[in-house]
Amino acid sequence: MVTRRSTKYPNVPPRSDYPAMERAILDRWQAERTFEASVEARLPERAGGSQYVFNDGPPFANGLPHYGHL
């Protein structure tokens, strides 16, 4: 007999449909106008805001590269 433990996490299906999940997320973002709201939430440069820049993290975990990274 298999007993299930109580957990705060929802049950997850053993196989995920990632394309369907992506469509659902994109539909929600479109319905809620998420991107537009993020743009509107930024302060304009004349009001002390700055240009939006997306940095994808440092090129190396510990700062400068060394020969081991090459």
Side-chain angles (χ1 to χ4, degrees), residues 5-28:
R5 294 187 309 169
S6 176
T7 177
K8 64 180 179 179
Y9 301 108
N11 290 330
V12 178
R15 297 186 146 237
S16 296
D17 184 0
Y18 294 112
M21 292 168 61
E22 182 177 6
R23 283 190 298 273
I25 291 169
L26 292 174
D27 289 344
R28 178 178 175 185

Side-chain angles (χ1 to χ4, degrees), residues 14-67:
R15 297 186 146 237
S16 296
D17 184 0
Y18 294 112
M21 292 168 61
E22 182 177 6
R23 283 190 298 273
I25 291 169
L26 292 174
D27 289 344
R28 178 178 175 185
W29 287 356
Q30 186 174 19
E32 295 179 0
R33 300 192 57 213
T34 302
F35 177 75
E36 291 83 355
S38 73
V39 172
E40 292 167 2
R42 295 182 210 146
L43 287 174
E45 288 186 37
R46 65 182 178 276
S50 61
Q51 179 180 2
Y52 178 78
V53 177
F54 177 76
N55 294 317
D56 195 14
F60 302 99
N62 59 354
L64 297 175
H66 63 84
Y67 65 89

